Amino acid sequence: MSKPVYILNGPNLNLLGAREPEIYGKQTLADIEDICRIEADTHGLPVRFHQSNIEGEIVDQIQEARDKASALIINPAAYTHSSIALHDALKTLDIPVIEVHLSQPATRESFRRRSYVAETATGTISGFGADSYRLAIKAASKLAQPDT
Ligand code: DQA
C-alpha cells in the first residue's frame, strides 16, 4: 500500500456549510472529505484527513507528513496569510505540496493577497469551491505517482 496523501485543513473549516456559504459554499467538511475519497479511489490513492483550529497542531501534522505521506494537500485557511510557522514546516518537506482554497483569495480583501504557503507549495488551486480539493487530488496523484 502506498503512503497516504495528507489532506490538512486549518481554522474555521470545521464550520464549512454554515460559515459564509455565499463565499465557501454549502458543503460541509465531511462532504468535502467524501469528494476527496471518491476522487482518490479512482487513482488508487489512500488519503488521511486532519482539521485543526490550532496552528501548532497543523505544524505537527506537516512534520508527520515528512515520513508518512506521499504528498500533502493543505488549505491553511487564515494561517495562509499569517503563519511563518507553517511556511517553515512546509519548507522541510521533500514531497509535493498543493495549496488549496475554496474561494479565490486574490479577488478578496487585500490582507488575503499574501500567502506564506504559496512560496513553499508545488502549486496552488483556488476559486473552484469544493472542486478545488478534487483537482488537488488529481494533481497529487500525478505528482506522487508520475508513471500512472
Ligand atoms: C480560505 C481562504 C482564506 O482567506 C480564509 O481565511 C479561509 C478559507 C478558502 O478556502 O477560500 O478560512 O482558505
Side-chain angles (χ1 to χ4, degrees):
M1 184 72 135
S2 54
K3 290 181 182 177
V5 175
Y6 273 34
I7 303 177
L8 306 184
N9 282 290
N12 301 307
L13 295 173
N14 54 313
L15 297 180
L16 284 178
R19 174 191 177 210
E20 299 183 272
E22 66 290 356
I23 296 175
Y24 299 118
K26 292 194 178 134
Q27 279 152 312
T28 64
L29 192 57
D31 294 334
I32 288 174
E33 289 184 6
D34 287 344
I35 290 168
C36 289
R37 264 197 203 92
I38 290 166
E39 183 68 31
D41 279 354
T42 69
H43 302 286
L45 269 186
V47 285
R48 188 184 176 287
F49 298 97
H50 190 83
Q51 186 277 329
S52 179
N53 294 325
I54 300 168
E55 188 175 20
E57 279 186 12
I58 304 169
V59 170
D60 285 344
Q61 288 292 313
I62 294 168
Q63 290 188 7
E64 191 181 300
R66 283 163 52 81
D67 300 324
K68 299 211 170 126
S70 60
L72 184 133
I73 293 172
I74 182 165
N75 183 345
Y79 290 141
T80 309
H81 318 297
S82 67
S83 180
I84 293 164
L86 291 194
H87 171 103
D88 285 350
L90 289 165
K91 275 187 98 166
T92 72
L93 295 179
D94 292 326
I95 54 175
V97 173
I98 301 161
E99 178 188 7
V100 163
H101 299 283
L102 295 143
S103 68
Q104 173 63 305
T107 63
R108 299 178 61 197
E109 302 95 322
S110 57
F111 61 82
R112 293 187 205 277
R113 297 208 184 118
R114 174 84 159 100
S115 168
Y116 288 94
V117 168
E119 291 158 15
T120 69
T122 313
T124 301
I125 300 173
S126 62
F128 299 101
D131 226 20
S132 291
Y133 286 81
R134 203 177 54 73
L135 295 167
I137 301 261
K138 254 188 194 302
S141 158
K142 270 265 181 254
L143 293 164
Q145 318 176 104
D147 300 330
T148 59

